[in-house]
Amino acid sequence: MGKADFLSPKAIGNRIKAKGLQKLRWYCQMCQKQCRDENGFKCHCMSESHQRQLLLASENPNRFMDYFSEEFKSDFLELLRRRFGTKRVHNNIVYNEYISHREHVHMNSTQWETLTDFTKWLGREGFCKVDETPKGWYMQYIDRDPETIRRQEELERKKKQDLDDEERSAKFIEEQVRRGRAGKEPEDPVYTELKRENEEEKGKIPLMWLIWSDYTLTHFHTHSNIPSLGPSALKSVKRKESSHSADSKDKKKKSALEEIIEMEEQKRKSVKLDHWLHPDIVVKVITKKLGEKYYKKKAVIKEVRDKYTAIVRLIDSGDKLKLDQSHLETVIPAPGKRILIVNGSYRNTEAVLEGINEKTFSATLLLDSGHMKGKKIEGIPYEDFSKLA
């Protein structure tokens, strides 16, 4: 019987069948060939190429099984990581999507007999978190990529920094309230003369005022040793006290305002920024993506672009590189050398390194510029200052 024409219905049907997935029972993993029916699979098993593959596999069957198992595991985990990430998903959903690819490695050629065995193995080896439910086995990919771990650490560090800023703001407000309560003095009552706007109109004084004034006068004369003064003397004393209290209040308000402005300025400076690059400081390259040639090499920042990118020149070779600040770290010089504070409350201030505390990973600095020149500060973290070029 002759072969069907290219545009005949049978030929078209055969091409459509060849495109999609076929039955697993008619697939030869050794030859990686898919047959459409039982007769085709039988003919393939009797072919010379299939017999050669069987002879090669019989010499070392474990090597072939390990190879197919490793391919199946790597492709399956790559699909799980790329398609679902770290979400919890049913293992059958992942497997169905995996086998939709026609050239996938079949499970019957691996060391695992069922999908359940493979899922349990992933859990034992630590590739995934697996749990069994009445609906079946669920898995969750564990991402151990160094870049992902570094990104998570940066997010945790930023979150901790935001919490520290909130605590610092709360302490500042609490300190202001405490100072306001401590500096507040009880105000003395100011007595004034009773004057009538209209001489013909009779004045009316509430009964409670009369009782209180009578009690205060009696209490004052019976419990004090102060000699009685005349009306004119009392008026002059009250006038002097009122003017003195007004001057002192204005002075206190002015000093408190200046103090608040100063503390606000210090608070603004004390908040750490997420960028620290400055020109003319010495840094160290800490990325391995550029190769061992530049790893752990010192360089000088020549230019800062967009706050997070620096143009650096290597000290040893003189090569120029464009690097992100995450690929650089500060350099701590020997005591007595000049440094630049790149972050924190004394940002952009030059200083001299006095000493290093290895237990707290901090240093003691002597400011060498600005209006606070000569002041010694302690507890400055290593990452907040760097050696000047």
Side-chain angles (χ1 to χ4, degrees):
M1 184 177 180
K3 189 176 181 180
D5 295 335
F6 182 76
L7 296 177
S8 65
K10 185 176 181 180
I12 294 174
N14 290 338
R15 287 198 297 273
I16 293 174
K17 291 178 182 179
K19 284 184 179 179
L21 296 175
Q22 305 294 323
K23 288 188 177 182
L24 180 61
R25 58 184 297 188
W26 296 329
Y27 180 81
C28 178
Q29 183 65 60
M30 289 297 304
C31 304
Q32 297 182 1
K33 180 177 177 60
Q34 176 69 58
C35 301
R36 286 204 299 268
D37 52 19
E38 187 177 359
N39 186 41
F41 184 71
K42 181 181 178 181
C43 293
H44 169 73
C45 292
M46 297 173 62
S47 64
E48 185 179 353
S49 61
H50 179 75
Q51 296 297 327
R52 278 199 306 269
Q53 287 295 114
L54 287 181
L55 290 176
L56 291 174
S58 62
E59 294 177 0
N60 194 351
N62 293 329
R63 182 169 66 88
F64 282 87
M65 182 174 290
D66 293 342
Y67 170 75
F68 290 131
S69 299
E70 183 64 26
E71 286 290 318
F72 179 82
K73 186 258 297 181
S74 60
D75 294 344
F76 190 91
L77 289 178
E78 178 65 20
L79 173 65
L80 179 62
R81 182 188 65 83
R82 179 168 38 84
R83 175 69 174 82
F84 301 98
T86 56
K87 296 180 181 178
R88 182 173 175 267
V89 63
H90 199 283
N91 61 349
N92 206 31
I93 295 176
V94 185
Y95 182 72
N96 287 334
E97 188 162 344
Y98 172 74
I99 64 175
S100 62
H101 180 57
R102 188 179 181 188
E103 303 297 330
H104 72 276
V105 178
H106 290 69
M107 186 177 287
N108 59 359
S109 61
T110 64
Q111 63 184 6
W112 306 287
E113 295 182 359
T114 61
L115 181 60
T116 302
D117 295 340
F118 178 62
T119 305
K120 292 179 180 179
W121 183 85
L122 290 178
R124 287 195 302 268
E125 295 296 324
F127 292 104
C128 300
K129 295 179 181 178
V130 298
D131 60 305
E132 186 179 10
T133 64
K135 295 183 179 180
W137 285 86
Y138 283 81
M139 58 173 54
Q140 184 178 359
Y141 181 71
I142 301 175
D143 195 352
R144 289 190 173 88
D145 185 31
E147 188 68 20
T148 305
I149 295 174
R150 184 188 64 81
R151 195 181 304 113
Q152 291 177 354
E153 290 178 353
E154 289 182 356
L155 291 175
E156 291 177 358
R157 194 182 304 114
K158 186 176 181 181
K159 185 177 180 180
K160 183 179 179 182
Q161 182 178 345
D162 294 340
L163 291 176
D164 293 341
D165 295 340
E166 293 178 0
E167 291 178 0
R168 194 180 298 111
S169 300
K171 287 183 180 179
F172 171 75
I173 295 173
E174 185 179 352
E175 181 68 17
Q176 288 296 101
V177 172
R178 187 184 63 80
R179 290 194 177 190
R181 289 178 178 176
K184 188 176 181 181
E185 298 179 356
E187 298 182 358
D188 297 331
V190 180
Y191 302 100
T192 57
E193 294 182 1
L194 180 61
K195 294 182 180 180
R196 294 182 184 176
E197 296 180 359
N198 188 359
E199 294 295 336
E200 297 179 355
E201 184 180 357
K202 293 182 180 181
K204 296 181 180 179
I205 301 176
L207 180 61
M208 291 301 297
W209 286 15
L210 294 174
I211 296 173
W212 182 79
S213 61
D214 182 48
Y215 169 77
T216 52
L217 290 175
T218 306
H219 183 75
F220 177 78
H221 286 296
T222 55
H223 295 278
S224 64
N225 297 323
I226 302 175
S228 59
L229 300 175
S232 59
L234 287 173
K235 289 181 182 179
S236 61
V237 170
K238 291 175 183 177
R239 194 178 300 113
K240 288 180 181 179
E241 289 180 353
S242 60
S243 61
H244 178 70
S245 62
D247 294 339
S248 62
K249 286 179 184 176
D250 293 339
K251 188 176 180 181
K252 285 182 180 178
K253 285 183 180 178
K254 186 177 180 180
S255 62
L257 181 62
E258 291 176 353
E259 186 178 358
I260 291 174
I261 293 174
E262 183 180 354
M263 293 189 71
E264 285 288 342
E265 184 70 18
Q266 187 175 0
K267 176 190 173 185
R268 182 183 63 82
K269 290 183 177 180
S270 64
V271 176
K272 285 191 177 182
L273 303 178
D274 58 350
H275 58 87
W276 55 268
L277 296 177
H278 286 74
D280 301 325
I281 63 172
V282 181
V283 293
K284 185 183 291 185
V285 181
I286 59 173
T287 179
K288 293 184 178 179
K289 294 182 179 180
L290 302 176
E292 296 294 333
K293 179 181 178 182
Y294 301 114
Y295 183 60
K296 293 291 184 181
K297 298 295 182 181
K298 293 182 181 179
V300 179
I301 296 180
K302 291 298 182 183
E303 183 183 353
V304 178
R305 296 180 181 178
D306 301 329
K307 298 181 181 180
Y308 302 95
T309 307
I311 306 297
V312 302
R313 180 177 58 81
L314 295 180
I315 297 177
D316 295 341
S317 60
D319 297 342
K320 282 190 175 182
L321 301 174
K322 183 179 179 182
L323 298 172
D324 187 77
Q325 74 170 9
S326 61
H327 298 155
L328 302 171
E329 70 175 6
T330 57
V331 174
I332 303 172
K337 299 292 184 179
R338 292 176 58 81
I339 57 95
L340 179 70
I341 302 176
V342 297
N343 213 339
S345 57
Y346 300 97
R347 185 182 176 91
N348 298 328
T349 305
E350 296 182 7
V352 177
L353 181 61
E354 289 284 320
I356 295 175
N357 190 345
E358 297 181 355
K359 293 183 179 180
T360 59
F361 302 100
S362 61
T364 301
L365 308 178
L366 182 65
L367 299 183
D368 197 28
S369 64
H371 65 282
M372 303 181 71
K373 183 177 180 180
K375 180 181 178 181
K376 183 181 290 188
I377 54 176
E378 299 179 354
I380 302 299
Y382 289 164
E383 62 270 14
D384 287 355
F385 66 91
S386 188
K387 179 182 177 182
L388 278 171

